[in-house]
C-alpha cells in the first residue's frame, strides 16, 4: 500500500495554530471510488483509505511506515506568505 506523510496545515477558517505541528500518515486509495446506483454517493470497498494516523514528528511517522512495510511519500508543506497591507491602501 502507498501512504502520504504530510504536516497538517493551519486551518484557514480560524486564527489559532492548534494541531499544526502534527504529522499525518494517510493511506492512498488503491482503486477509484464508484457511485452507488441507489443513493448516488461515492464509495469504495477500501476501508484503509478512511484511516489517518497522527504523529508528533516526521521521524515517528516514517518509522511507523517502515515498520508496517508501507511505501510512503513525504509531501512538503507549502510556503506561507502574508500580504501586508494597510486599510488606507484600499482607497489609493
Amino acid at each position: 500500500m502507498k501512504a502520504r506523510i504530510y504536516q497538517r496545515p493551519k486551518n484557514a477558517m480560524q486564527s489559532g495554530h492548534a494541531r499544526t505541528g502534527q504529522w499525518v500518515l494517510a493511506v492512498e486509495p488503491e482503486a477509484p471510488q464508484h457511485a452507488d446506483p441507489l443513493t448516488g454517493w461515492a464509495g469504495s470497498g477500501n476501508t484503509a483509505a478512511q484511516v489517518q494516523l497522527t504523529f508528533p514528528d516526521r521521524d515517528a511517522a516514517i518509522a511507523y511506515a517502515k515498520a508496517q512495510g508501507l511505501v510512503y511519500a513525504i509531501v512538503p508543506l507549502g510556503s506561507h506568505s502574508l500580504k501586508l497591507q494597510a486599510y488606507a491602501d484600499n482607497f489609493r
Side-chain angles (χ1 to χ4, degrees):
M1 284 196 293
K2 293 182 181 179
R4 289 183 303 144
I5 299 174
Y6 61 94
Q7 192 172 14
R8 191 183 302 258
K10 180 185 168 301
N11 187 353
M13 303 304 291
Q14 297 177 351
S15 62
H17 293 277
R19 301 185 334 171
T20 57
Q22 293 180 347
W23 286 80
V24 179
L25 185 138
V27 177
E28 293 287 328
E30 295 177 355
Q33 294 183 342
H34 57 278
D36 187 324
L38 181 62
T39 62
W41 293 359
S44 69
N46 185 12
T47 58
Q50 300 173 3
V51 177
Q52 290 186 349
L53 301 174
T54 58
F55 297 92
D57 58 355
R58 183 177 72 167
D59 296 333
I62 291 172
Y64 179 82
K66 286 181 180 179
Q68 297 299 319
L70 298 174
V71 177
Y72 63 91
I74 298 174
V75 179
L77 189 61
S79 63
H80 181 68
S81 62
L82 293 175
K83 181 181 176 185
L84 299 177
Q85 174 178 328
Y87 180 70
D89 292 339
N90 294 332
F91 303 104
R92 285 189 180 175

PDB file of all heavy atoms in Angstrom, residues 5-42:
ATOM      1  N   ILE A   5       2.764  11.096   3.837  1.00  0.00           N
ATOM      2  CA  ILE A   5       3.107  11.675   5.133  1.00  0.00           C
ATOM      3  C   ILE A   5       3.215  13.169   4.923  1.00  0.00           C
ATOM      4  O   ILE A   5       3.992  13.633   4.087  1.00  0.00           O
ATOM      5  CB  ILE A   5       4.423  11.094   5.682  1.00  0.00           C
ATOM      6  CG1 ILE A   5       4.292   9.585   5.891  1.00  0.00           C
ATOM      7  CG2 ILE A   5       4.815  11.792   6.975  1.00  0.00           C
ATOM      8  CD1 ILE A   5       5.574   8.911   6.300  1.00  0.00           C
ATOM      9  N   TYR A   6       2.407  13.929   5.652  1.00  0.00           N
ATOM     10  CA  TYR A   6       2.404  15.379   5.495  1.00  0.00           C
ATOM     11  C   TYR A   6       2.150  16.046   6.832  1.00  0.00           C
ATOM     12  O   TYR A   6       1.625  15.436   7.760  1.00  0.00           O
ATOM     13  CB  TYR A   6       1.356  15.829   4.467  1.00  0.00           C
ATOM     14  CG  TYR A   6      -0.068  15.476   4.818  1.00  0.00           C
ATOM     15  CD1 TYR A   6      -0.883  16.388   5.481  1.00  0.00           C
ATOM     16  CD2 TYR A   6      -0.613  14.247   4.480  1.00  0.00           C
ATOM     17  CE1 TYR A   6      -2.186  16.070   5.805  1.00  0.00           C
ATOM     18  CE2 TYR A   6      -1.904  13.925   4.792  1.00  0.00           C
ATOM     19  CZ  TYR A   6      -2.698  14.844   5.443  1.00  0.00           C
ATOM     20  OH  TYR A   6      -3.992  14.525   5.773  1.00  0.00           O
ATOM     21  N   GLN A   7       2.551  17.304   6.906  1.00  0.00           N
ATOM     22  CA  GLN A   7       2.323  18.091   8.110  1.00  0.00           C
ATOM     23  C   GLN A   7       0.980  18.792   7.968  1.00  0.00           C
ATOM     24  O   GLN A   7       0.667  19.346   6.916  1.00  0.00           O
ATOM     25  CB  GLN A   7       3.431  19.110   8.316  1.00  0.00           C
ATOM     26  CG  GLN A   7       3.398  19.756   9.669  1.00  0.00           C
ATOM     27  CD  GLN A   7       4.623  20.624   9.910  1.00  0.00           C
ATOM     28  OE1 GLN A   7       5.353  20.944   8.992  1.00  0.00           O
ATOM     29  NE2 GLN A   7       4.832  21.004  11.143  1.00  0.00           N
ATOM     30  N   ARG A   8       0.208  18.743   9.019  1.00  0.00           N
ATOM     31  CA  ARG A   8      -1.131  19.312   8.975  1.00  0.00           C
ATOM     32  C   ARG A   8      -1.047  20.832   8.810  1.00  0.00           C
ATOM     33  O   ARG A   8      -0.381  21.506   9.592  1.00  0.00           O
ATOM     34  CB  ARG A   8      -1.867  18.978  10.276  1.00  0.00           C
ATOM     35  CG  ARG A   8      -3.339  19.276  10.249  1.00  0.00           C
ATOM     36  CD  ARG A   8      -3.956  18.987  11.590  1.00  0.00           C
ATOM     37  NE  ARG A   8      -3.771  17.617  12.013  1.00  0.00           N
ATOM     38  CZ  ARG A   8      -4.718  16.686  11.934  1.00  0.00           C
ATOM     39  NH1 ARG A   8      -5.873  16.971  11.452  1.00  0.00           N
ATOM     40  NH2 ARG A   8      -4.489  15.469  12.375  1.00  0.00           N
ATOM     41  N   PRO A   9      -1.704  21.406   7.802  1.00  0.00           N
ATOM     42  CA  PRO A   9      -1.635  22.858   7.609  1.00  0.00           C
ATOM     43  C   PRO A   9      -2.538  23.598   8.586  1.00  0.00           C
ATOM     44  O   PRO A   9      -3.426  23.014   9.208  1.00  0.00           O
ATOM     45  CB  PRO A   9      -2.116  23.041   6.170  1.00  0.00           C
ATOM     46  CG  PRO A   9      -3.017  21.886   5.939  1.00  0.00           C
ATOM     47  CD  PRO A   9      -2.449  20.753   6.742  1.00  0.00           C
ATOM     48  N   LYS A  10      -2.316  24.887   8.686  1.00  0.00           N
ATOM     49  CA  LYS A  10      -3.138  25.737   9.544  1.00  0.00           C
ATOM     50  C   LYS A  10      -4.526  25.857   8.937  1.00  0.00           C
ATOM     51  O   LYS A  10      -4.678  26.006   7.726  1.00  0.00           O
ATOM     52  CB  LYS A  10      -2.497  27.117   9.678  1.00  0.00           C
ATOM     53  CG  LYS A  10      -3.266  28.084  10.545  1.00  0.00           C
ATOM     54  CD  LYS A  10      -2.611  29.451  10.515  1.00  0.00           C
ATOM     55  CE  LYS A  10      -3.493  30.501  11.131  1.00  0.00           C
ATOM     56  NZ  LYS A  10      -4.771  30.650  10.481  1.00  0.00           N
ATOM     57  N   ASN A  11      -5.543  25.813   9.773  1.00  0.00           N
ATOM     58  CA  ASN A  11      -6.912  25.958   9.321  1.00  0.00           C
ATOM     59  C   ASN A  11      -7.141  27.398   8.861  1.00  0.00           C
ATOM     60  O   ASN A  11      -6.886  28.344   9.600  1.00  0.00           O
ATOM     61  CB  ASN A  11      -7.873  25.603  10.455  1.00  0.00           C
ATOM     62  CG  ASN A  11      -9.299  25.567  10.001  1.00  0.00           C
ATOM     63  OD1 ASN A  11      -9.625  25.927   8.882  1.00  0.00           O
ATOM     64  ND2 ASN A  11     -10.166  25.122  10.884  1.00  0.00           N
ATOM     65  N   ALA A  12      -7.619  27.580   7.654  1.00  0.00           N
ATOM     66  CA  ALA A  12      -7.826  28.920   7.113  1.00  0.00           C
ATOM     67  C   ALA A  12      -9.029  29.622   7.735  1.00  0.00           C
ATOM     68  O   ALA A  12      -9.150  30.836   7.627  1.00  0.00           O
ATOM     69  CB  ALA A  12      -8.010  28.850   5.603  1.00  0.00           C
ATOM     70  N   MET A  13      -9.900  28.887   8.385  1.00  0.00           N
ATOM     71  CA  MET A  13     -11.115  29.482   8.928  1.00  0.00           C
ATOM     72  C   MET A  13     -10.944  29.953  10.367  1.00  0.00           C
ATOM     73  O   MET A  13     -11.860  30.559  10.918  1.00  0.00           O
ATOM     74  CB  MET A  13     -12.273  28.479   8.864  1.00  0.00           C
ATOM     75  CG  MET A  13     -12.547  27.969   7.464  1.00  0.00           C
ATOM     76  SD  MET A  13     -12.872  29.279   6.287  1.00  0.00           S
ATOM     77  CE  MET A  13     -14.437  29.859   6.834  1.00  0.00           C
ATOM     78  N   GLN A  14      -9.821  29.670  10.982  1.00  0.00           N
ATOM     79  CA  GLN A  14      -9.586  30.066  12.361  1.00  0.00           C
ATOM     80  C   GLN A  14      -8.201  30.687  12.485  1.00  0.00           C
ATOM     81  O   GLN A  14      -7.323  30.438  11.673  1.00  0.00           O
ATOM     82  CB  GLN A  14      -9.704  28.859  13.287  1.00  0.00           C
ATOM     83  CG  GLN A  14     -11.078  28.244  13.295  1.00  0.00           C
ATOM     84  CD  GLN A  14     -11.129  27.006  14.178  1.00  0.00           C
ATOM     85  OE1 GLN A  14     -10.119  26.529  14.645  1.00  0.00           O
ATOM     86  NE2 GLN A  14     -12.324  26.491  14.385  1.00  0.00           N
ATOM     87  N   SER A  15      -8.031  31.496  13.515  1.00  0.00           N
ATOM     88  CA  SER A  15      -6.748  32.171  13.688  1.00  0.00           C
ATOM     89  C   SER A  15      -5.757  31.354  14.515  1.00  0.00           C
ATOM     90  O   SER A  15      -4.589  31.698  14.556  1.00  0.00           O
ATOM     91  CB  SER A  15      -6.963  33.533  14.351  1.00  0.00           C
ATOM     92  OG  SER A  15      -7.529  33.361  15.635  1.00  0.00           O
ATOM     93  N   GLY A  16      -6.196  30.309  15.158  1.00  0.00           N
ATOM     94  CA  GLY A  16      -5.314  29.533  16.016  1.00  0.00           C
ATOM     95  C   GLY A  16      -4.382  28.615  15.249  1.00  0.00           C
ATOM     96  O   GLY A  16      -4.536  28.379  14.052  1.00  0.00           O
ATOM     97  N   HIS A  17      -3.399  28.090  15.953  1.00  0.00           N
ATOM     98  CA  HIS A  17      -2.420  27.192  15.359  1.00  0.00           C
ATOM     99  C   HIS A  17      -2.485  25.805  15.995  1.00  0.00           C
ATOM    100  O   HIS A  17      -1.478  25.107  16.047  1.00  0.00           O
ATOM    101  CB  HIS A  17      -1.010  27.756  15.520  1.00  0.00           C
ATOM    102  CG  HIS A  17      -0.791  29.011  14.741  1.00  0.00           C
ATOM    103  ND1 HIS A  17      -0.472  29.005  13.407  1.00  0.00           N
ATOM    104  CD2 HIS A  17      -0.857  30.309  15.097  1.00  0.00           C
ATOM    105  CE1 HIS A  17      -0.334  30.240  12.981  1.00  0.00           C
ATOM    106  NE2 HIS A  17      -0.565  31.056  13.989  1.00  0.00           N
ATOM    107  N   ALA A  18      -3.655  25.392  16.466  1.00  0.00           N
ATOM    108  CA  ALA A  18      -3.794  24.094  17.121  1.00  0.00           C
ATOM    109  C   ALA A  18      -3.550  22.969  16.122  1.00  0.00           C
ATOM    110  O   ALA A  18      -3.965  23.037  14.964  1.00  0.00           O
ATOM    111  CB  ALA A  18      -5.182  23.960  17.725  1.00  0.00           C
ATOM    112  N   ARG A  19      -2.849  21.943  16.533  1.00  0.00           N
ATOM    113  CA  ARG A  19      -2.562  20.724  15.777  1.00  0.00           C
ATOM    114  C   ARG A  19      -1.760  20.963  14.507  1.00  0.00           C
ATOM    115  O   ARG A  19      -1.719  20.108  13.635  1.00  0.00           O
ATOM    116  CB  ARG A  19      -3.861  19.981  15.447  1.00  0.00           C
ATOM    117  CG  ARG A  19      -4.634  19.599  16.661  1.00  0.00           C
ATOM    118  CD  ARG A  19      -5.853  18.785  16.427  1.00  0.00           C
ATOM    119  NE  ARG A  19      -6.476  18.935  15.137  1.00  0.00           N
ATOM    120  CZ  ARG A  19      -7.456  18.166  14.700  1.00  0.00           C
ATOM    121  NH1 ARG A  19      -7.920  17.218  15.469  1.00  0.00           N
ATOM    122  NH2 ARG A  19      -7.991  18.346  13.519  1.00  0.00           N
ATOM    123  N   THR A  20      -1.108  22.117  14.351  1.00  0.00           N
ATOM    124  CA  THR A  20      -0.323  22.360  13.144  1.00  0.00           C
ATOM    125  C   THR A  20       1.037  21.680  13.193  1.00  0.00           C
ATOM    126  O   THR A  20       1.650  21.493  12.154  1.00  0.00           O
ATOM    127  CB  THR A  20      -0.117  23.870  12.907  1.00  0.00           C
ATOM    128  OG1 THR A  20       0.497  24.441  14.053  1.00  0.00           O
ATOM    129  CG2 THR A  20      -1.422  24.566  12.621  1.00  0.00           C
ATOM    130  N   GLY A  21       1.504  21.305  14.352  1.00  0.00           N
ATOM    131  CA  GLY A  21       2.792  20.637  14.453  1.00  0.00           C
ATOM    132  C   GLY A  21       2.711  19.143  14.239  1.00  0.00           C
ATOM    133  O   GLY A  21       3.731  18.468  14.181  1.00  0.00           O
ATOM    134  N   GLN A  22       1.517  18.599  14.102  1.00  0.00           N
ATOM    135  CA  GLN A  22       1.352  17.162  13.940  1.00  0.00           C
ATOM    136  C   GLN A  22       1.640  16.729  12.510  1.00  0.00           C
ATOM    137  O   GLN A  22       1.452  17.483  11.565  1.00  0.00           O
ATOM    138  CB  GLN A  22      -0.074  16.745  14.295  1.00  0.00           C
ATOM    139  CG  GLN A  22      -0.430  16.908  15.736  1.00  0.00           C
ATOM    140  CD  GLN A  22      -1.863  16.481  15.998  1.00  0.00           C
ATOM    141  OE1 GLN A  22      -2.644  16.287  15.084  1.00  0.00           O
ATOM    142  NE2 GLN A  22      -2.193  16.338  17.264  1.00  0.00           N
ATOM    143  N   TRP A  23       2.085  15.504  12.380  1.00  0.00           N
ATOM    144  CA  TRP A  23       2.306  14.892  11.082  1.00  0.00           C
ATOM    145  C   TRP A  23       1.253  13.808  10.888  1.00  0.00           C
ATOM    146  O   TRP A  23       0.908  13.086  11.816  1.00  0.00           O
ATOM    147  CB  TRP A  23       3.701  14.306  10.990  1.00  0.00           C
ATOM    148  CG  TRP A  23       4.741  15.369  10.851  1.00  0.00           C
ATOM    149  CD1 TRP A  23       5.269  16.134  11.832  1.00  0.00           C
ATOM    150  CD2 TRP A  23       5.336  15.812   9.643  1.00  0.00           C
ATOM    151  NE1 TRP A  23       6.163  17.028  11.319  1.00  0.00           N
ATOM    152  CE2 TRP A  23       6.233  16.849   9.968  1.00  0.00           C
ATOM    153  CE3 TRP A  23       5.214  15.438   8.309  1.00  0.00           C
ATOM    154  CZ2 TRP A  23       6.996  17.500   9.015  1.00  0.00           C
ATOM    155  CZ3 TRP A  23       5.980  16.089   7.365  1.00  0.00           C
ATOM    156  CH2 TRP A  23       6.854  17.100   7.719  1.00  0.00           C
ATOM    157  N   VAL A  24       0.737  13.690   9.682  1.00  0.00           N
ATOM    158  CA  VAL A  24      -0.358  12.774   9.383  1.00  0.00           C
ATOM    159  C   VAL A  24       0.118  11.741   8.376  1.00  0.00           C
ATOM    160  O   VAL A  24       0.782  12.076   7.392  1.00  0.00           O
ATOM    161  CB  VAL A  24      -1.573  13.548   8.811  1.00  0.00           C
ATOM    162  CG1 VAL A  24      -2.702  12.600   8.467  1.00  0.00           C
ATOM    163  CG2 VAL A  24      -2.048  14.589   9.797  1.00  0.00           C
ATOM    164  N   LEU A  25      -0.226  10.476   8.622  1.00  0.00           N
ATOM    165  CA  LEU A  25       0.008   9.401   7.677  1.00  0.00           C
ATOM    166  C   LEU A  25      -1.353   8.978   7.146  1.00  0.00           C
ATOM    167  O   LEU A  25      -2.203   8.526   7.909  1.00  0.00           O
ATOM    168  CB  LEU A  25       0.711   8.227   8.342  1.00  0.00           C
ATOM    169  CG  LEU A  25       1.107   7.088   7.407  1.00  0.00           C
ATOM    170  CD1 LEU A  25       2.498   6.601   7.752  1.00  0.00           C
ATOM    171  CD2 LEU A  25       0.135   5.963   7.458  1.00  0.00           C
ATOM    172  N   ALA A  26      -1.584   9.174   5.854  1.00  0.00           N
ATOM    173  CA  ALA A  26      -2.847   8.810   5.218  1.00  0.00           C
ATOM    174  C   ALA A  26      -2.573   7.815   4.105  1.00  0.00           C
ATOM    175  O   ALA A  26      -1.654   8.010   3.299  1.00  0.00           O
ATOM    176  CB  ALA A  26      -3.540  10.046   4.661  1.00  0.00           C
ATOM    177  N   VAL A  27      -3.358   6.755   4.049  1.00  0.00           N
ATOM    178  CA  VAL A  27      -3.186   5.720   3.034  1.00  0.00           C
ATOM    179  C   VAL A  27      -3.865   6.175   1.746  1.00  0.00           C
ATOM    180  O   VAL A  27      -4.992   6.668   1.761  1.00  0.00           O
ATOM    181  CB  VAL A  27      -3.783   4.384   3.530  1.00  0.00           C
ATOM    182  CG1 VAL A  27      -3.674   3.316   2.472  1.00  0.00           C
ATOM    183  CG2 VAL A  27      -3.089   3.943   4.795  1.00  0.00           C
ATOM    184  N   GLU A  28      -3.157   6.020   0.627  1.00  0.00           N
ATOM    185  CA  GLU A  28      -3.712   6.370  -0.682  1.00  0.00           C
ATOM    186  C   GLU A  28      -4.733   5.312  -1.097  1.00  0.00           C
ATOM    187  O   GLU A  28      -4.534   4.122  -0.854  1.00  0.00           O
ATOM    188  CB  GLU A  28      -2.598   6.431  -1.727  1.00  0.00           C
ATOM    189  CG  GLU A  28      -1.617   7.542  -1.519  1.00  0.00           C
ATOM    190  CD  GLU A  28      -2.199   8.892  -1.859  1.00  0.00           C
ATOM    191  OE1 GLU A  28      -3.042   8.972  -2.759  1.00  0.00           O
ATOM    192  OE2 GLU A  28      -1.809   9.859  -1.204  1.00  0.00           O
ATOM    193  N   PRO A  29      -5.824   5.714  -1.746  1.00  0.00           N
ATOM    194  CA  PRO A  29      -6.801   4.722  -2.214  1.00  0.00           C
ATOM    195  C   PRO A  29      -6.206   3.870  -3.339  1.00  0.00           C
ATOM    196  O   PRO A  29      -5.488   4.365  -4.209  1.00  0.00           O
ATOM    197  CB  PRO A  29      -7.973   5.561  -2.718  1.00  0.00           C
ATOM    198  CG  PRO A  29      -7.434   6.918  -2.928  1.00  0.00           C
ATOM    199  CD  PRO A  29      -6.250   7.080  -2.017  1.00  0.00           C
ATOM    200  N   GLU A  30      -6.499   2.575  -3.300  1.00  0.00           N
ATOM    201  CA  GLU A  30      -5.956   1.663  -4.302  1.00  0.00           C
ATOM    202  C   GLU A  30      -6.791   1.658  -5.578  1.00  0.00           C
ATOM    203  O   GLU A  30      -6.286   1.367  -6.648  1.00  0.00           O
ATOM    204  CB  GLU A  30      -5.877   0.252  -3.725  1.00  0.00           C
ATOM    205  CG  GLU A  30      -4.897   0.145  -2.574  1.00  0.00           C
ATOM    206  CD  GLU A  30      -4.884  -1.234  -1.952  1.00  0.00           C
ATOM    207  OE1 GLU A  30      -5.699  -2.092  -2.357  1.00  0.00           O
ATOM    208  OE2 GLU A  30      -4.056  -1.458  -1.063  1.00  0.00           O
ATOM    209  N   ALA A  31      -8.061   1.957  -5.470  1.00  0.00           N
ATOM    210  CA  ALA A  31      -8.952   1.964  -6.631  1.00  0.00           C
ATOM    211  C   ALA A  31      -9.815   3.220  -6.565  1.00  0.00           C
ATOM    212  O   ALA A  31     -10.076   3.742  -5.475  1.00  0.00           O
ATOM    213  CB  ALA A  31      -9.832   0.721  -6.613  1.00  0.00           C
ATOM    214  N   PRO A  32     -10.268   3.713  -7.699  1.00  0.00           N
ATOM    215  CA  PRO A  32     -11.122   4.905  -7.664  1.00  0.00           C
ATOM    216  C   PRO A  32     -12.484   4.593  -7.046  1.00  0.00           C
ATOM    217  O   PRO A  32     -12.941   3.445  -7.057  1.00  0.00           O
ATOM    218  CB  PRO A  32     -11.263   5.283  -9.137  1.00  0.00           C
ATOM    219  CG  PRO A  32     -10.968   4.042  -9.890  1.00  0.00           C
ATOM    220  CD  PRO A  32     -10.001   3.265  -9.050  1.00  0.00           C
ATOM    221  N   GLN A  33     -13.109   5.622  -6.519  1.00  0.00           N
ATOM    222  CA  GLN A  33     -14.429   5.447  -5.944  1.00  0.00           C
ATOM    223  C   GLN A  33     -15.458   5.306  -7.051  1.00  0.00           C
ATOM    224  O   GLN A  33     -15.284   5.806  -8.159  1.00  0.00           O
ATOM    225  CB  GLN A  33     -14.782   6.632  -5.050  1.00  0.00           C
ATOM    226  CG  GLN A  33     -13.920   6.733  -3.821  1.00  0.00           C
ATOM    227  CD  GLN A  33     -14.343   7.880  -2.928  1.00  0.00           C
ATOM    228  OE1 GLN A  33     -15.042   8.786  -3.351  1.00  0.00           O
ATOM    229  NE2 GLN A  33     -13.911   7.845  -1.694  1.00  0.00           N
ATOM    230  N   HIS A  34     -16.553   4.625  -6.732  1.00  0.00           N
ATOM    231  CA  HIS A  34     -17.624   4.447  -7.695  1.00  0.00           C
ATOM    232  C   HIS A  34     -18.924   4.953  -7.077  1.00  0.00           C
ATOM    233  O   HIS A  34     -19.087   4.961  -5.864  1.00  0.00           O
ATOM    234  CB  HIS A  34     -17.753   2.982  -8.114  1.00  0.00           C
ATOM    235  CG  HIS A  34     -17.985   2.063  -6.951  1.00  0.00           C
ATOM    236  ND1 HIS A  34     -16.948   1.604  -6.161  1.00  0.00           N
ATOM    237  CD2 HIS A  34     -19.112   1.550  -6.431  1.00  0.00           C
ATOM    238  CE1 HIS A  34     -17.446   0.834  -5.205  1.00  0.00           C
ATOM    239  NE2 HIS A  34     -18.753   0.784  -5.341  1.00  0.00           N
ATOM    240  N   ALA A  35     -19.828   5.374  -7.925  1.00  0.00           N
ATOM    241  CA  ALA A  35     -21.107   5.907  -7.452  1.00  0.00           C
ATOM    242  C   ALA A  35     -22.060   4.764  -7.132  1.00  0.00           C
ATOM    243  O   ALA A  35     -22.197   3.817  -7.910  1.00  0.00           O
ATOM    244  CB  ALA A  35     -21.716   6.812  -8.506  1.00  0.00           C
ATOM    245  N   ASP A  36     -22.712   4.863  -5.994  1.00  0.00           N
ATOM    246  CA  ASP A  36     -23.724   3.893  -5.606  1.00  0.00           C
ATOM    247  C   ASP A  36     -24.968   4.131  -6.470  1.00  0.00           C
ATOM    248  O   ASP A  36     -25.461   5.256  -6.552  1.00  0.00           O
ATOM    249  CB  ASP A  36     -24.063   4.089  -4.131  1.00  0.00           C
ATOM    250  CG  ASP A  36     -24.994   3.014  -3.599  1.00  0.00           C
ATOM    251  OD1 ASP A  36     -25.870   2.564  -4.352  1.00  0.00           O
ATOM    252  OD2 ASP A  36     -24.841   2.636  -2.425  1.00  0.00           O
ATOM    253  N   PRO A  37     -25.506   3.100  -7.125  1.00  0.00           N
ATOM    254  CA  PRO A  37     -26.641   3.335  -8.016  1.00  0.00           C
ATOM    255  C   PRO A  37     -27.927   3.755  -7.288  1.00  0.00           C
ATOM    256  O   PRO A  37     -28.760   4.446  -7.869  1.00  0.00           O
ATOM    257  CB  PRO A  37     -26.833   1.999  -8.724  1.00  0.00           C
ATOM    258  CG  PRO A  37     -26.097   1.006  -7.917  1.00  0.00           C
ATOM    259  CD  PRO A  37     -25.047   1.725  -7.156  1.00  0.00           C
ATOM    260  N   LEU A  38     -28.056   3.399  -6.028  1.00  0.00           N
ATOM    261  CA  LEU A  38     -29.277   3.729  -5.300  1.00  0.00           C
ATOM    262  C   LEU A  38     -29.237   5.143  -4.730  1.00  0.00           C
ATOM    263  O   LEU A  38     -30.177   5.918  -4.923  1.00  0.00           O
ATOM    264  CB  LEU A  38     -29.502   2.715  -4.172  1.00  0.00           C
ATOM    265  CG  LEU A  38     -30.751   2.903  -3.337  1.00  0.00           C
ATOM    266  CD1 LEU A  38     -31.985   2.760  -4.219  1.00  0.00           C
ATOM    267  CD2 LEU A  38     -30.794   1.894  -2.209  1.00  0.00           C
ATOM    268  N   THR A  39     -28.143   5.509  -4.073  1.00  0.00           N
ATOM    269  CA  THR A  39     -28.072   6.810  -3.415  1.00  0.00           C
ATOM    270  C   THR A  39     -27.277   7.838  -4.196  1.00  0.00           C
ATOM    271  O   THR A  39     -27.449   9.032  -3.994  1.00  0.00           O
ATOM    272  CB  THR A  39     -27.432   6.670  -2.025  1.00  0.00           C
ATOM    273  OG1 THR A  39     -26.101   6.182  -2.167  1.00  0.00           O
ATOM    274  CG2 THR A  39     -28.232   5.734  -1.136  1.00  0.00           C
ATOM    275  N   GLY A  40     -26.359   7.389  -5.056  1.00  0.00           N
ATOM    276  CA  GLY A  40     -25.518   8.312  -5.798  1.00  0.00           C
ATOM    277  C   GLY A  40     -24.278   8.732  -5.034  1.00  0.00           C
ATOM    278  O   GLY A  40     -23.486   9.525  -5.532  1.00  0.00           O
ATOM    279  N   TRP A  41     -24.097   8.240  -3.823  1.00  0.00           N
ATOM    280  CA  TRP A  41     -22.922   8.584  -3.032  1.00  0.00           C
ATOM    281  C   TRP A  41     -21.707   7.856  -3.584  1.00  0.00           C
ATOM    282  O   TRP A  41     -21.802   6.759  -4.103  1.00  0.00           O
ATOM    283  CB  TRP A  41     -23.126   8.206  -1.578  1.00  0.00           C
ATOM    284  CG  TRP A  41     -24.168   9.002  -0.874  1.00  0.00           C
ATOM    285  CD1 TRP A  41     -24.930  10.015  -1.376  1.00  0.00           C
ATOM    286  CD2 TRP A  41     -24.580   8.833   0.480  1.00  0.00           C
ATOM    287  NE1 TRP A  41     -25.782  10.496  -0.441  1.00  0.00           N
ATOM    288  CE2 TRP A  41     -25.596   9.781   0.733  1.00  0.00           C
ATOM    289  CE3 TRP A  41     -24.212   7.987   1.488  1.00  0.00           C
ATOM    290  CZ2 TRP A  41     -26.220   9.897   1.958  1.00  0.00           C
ATOM    291  CZ3 TRP A  41     -24.839   8.103   2.712  1.00  0.00           C
ATOM    292  CH2 TRP A  41     -25.820   9.058   2.940  1.00  0.00           C
ATOM    293  N   ALA A  42     -20.542   8.476  -3.434  1.00  0.00           N
ATOM    294  CA  ALA A  42     -19.302   7.851  -3.878  1.00  0.00           C
ATOM    295  C   ALA A  42     -18.776   6.954  -2.764  1.00  0.00           C
ATOM    296  O   ALA A  42     -18.809   7.313  -1.590  1.00  0.00           O
ATOM    297  CB  ALA A  42     -18.280   8.902  -4.242  1.00  0.00           C
TER     298      ALA A  42
END
